[in-house]
Structures are given as structure tokens and as C-alpha cells.
Amino acid sequence: MPGNPGITLSDHPKRNAHLSSGAEMQSWLLRGVRVGKSVGALMTAAIVAGVLTGAALGAGPYLISQKDREFSPGDIAIKRGETLRFFNDDGELLHHAYLSSDTFNFDSGDQQPGSKFDVIFPVLGDYMVLCGIHPKMKLIVHVTN
């Protein structure tokens, strides 16, 4: 359509690394919908957006910040098999996330500032993650089906 930029090859997500989240991708796709693309393009956009939304909701990893000597969020519900990514964004402080239970254990070791550590939770249950350096830091993780 004259005067209507539509979506060009330069708008394609593989050409734009900044389109990294499902929300950004959906926005990109919906922009194509608003500029009057064909019914086939609308269907493709709807299917891709639905897949991306499902992936974003179920895939994780879910970011757990370790800053100001606390986990944030301090309580999270995930599904069995999903991943938490512990990120030490606390300036110059070390952290040491760990979990010790009868059914599941992990230990990050000392985490330098800026470091990340992924943990997959394979077992149903409620868990308390602690920091071996800062005893007041607590994260409650609820793992469900």
C-alpha cells in the first residue's frame, strides 16, 4: 500500500537481535496485522504469537535477582522441569545460593558479582533456597505440575 511501510525484510526478527522476548516478537507481528496484511499473514502471525506466548510462559528460565542481600522475587511458583536463573547483581558482594532437602539439592558455590547460575527443579514440592553468606536471604520455590 502506498504510504504504508508494512513489514520489510529488515524488520524480520532474525535481522534484529533486539527482538528477543516473546512480547517484542508479538509486537512486531501485530504491527504487520495493523498495516493490513493478507488473511494468510494474519493466520501465521496468530499462530506464531500463540507459540511464542506459550514458550514464554512455560520455558523460563525465570530470573532470580540477588541484590541488596535479598532474593527477588522472594516467592515463586514454577512447573516441574522449569529453570530458575540466579543472577548476582549485587555490586561487589558474593552470594552462595543453595538448597538442601530430602528430595532435591543444589549448591551454586560462591557467585561473583555479575555471575549467573541455572537450576532446573525436577521434583514437585515447596523449597526454601538460602544464601550461605547472607543467612537472612530466603527464596520460597513452589514446584507444581
Side-chain angles (χ1 to χ4, degrees):
M1 290 170 77
N4 190 345
I7 294 179
T8 66
L9 183 58
S10 65
D11 288 326
H12 192 278
K14 289 186 177 182
R15 304 280 284 337
N16 289 301
H18 70 278
L19 293 176
S20 59
S21 75
E24 289 171 272
M25 181 65 77
Q26 284 178 334
S27 174
W28 176 81
L29 291 169
L30 292 175
R31 190 169 71 232
V33 170
R34 284 193 298 260
V35 296
K37 294 295 173 186
S38 70
V39 173
L42 291 173
M43 290 299 290
T44 301
I47 291 167
V48 171
V51 168
L52 290 173
T53 300
L57 293 175
Y62 299 97
L63 185 63
I64 305 296
S65 171
Q66 297 171 100
K67 188 171 186 173
D68 298 327
R69 295 186 176 134
E70 65 183 25
F71 292 108
S72 181
D75 192 297
I76 189 167
I78 62 173
K79 293 185 179 184
R80 179 176 44 197
E82 290 186 322
T83 302
L84 296 185
R85 174 167 291 157
F86 291 84
F87 176 53
N88 180 356
D89 54 342
D90 208 356
E92 298 196 15
L93 295 177
L94 291 176
H95 286 289
H96 187 126
Y98 73 95
L99 166 68
S100 181
S101 76
D102 293 338
T103 58
F104 179 61
N105 301 296
F106 78 85
D107 189 320
S108 71
D110 287 348
Q111 291 180 268
Q112 298 293 321
S115 67
K116 297 174 185 168
F117 177 81
D118 287 356
V119 178
I120 297 171
F121 282 77
V123 181
L124 298 175
D126 294 322
Y127 301 98
M128 183 178 298
V129 178
L130 302 169
C131 177
I133 298 171
H134 307 103
K136 292 184 180 182
M137 287 180 66
K138 295 180 171 99
L139 166 66
I140 305 298
V141 181
H142 307 278
V143 183
T144 63
N145 273 327

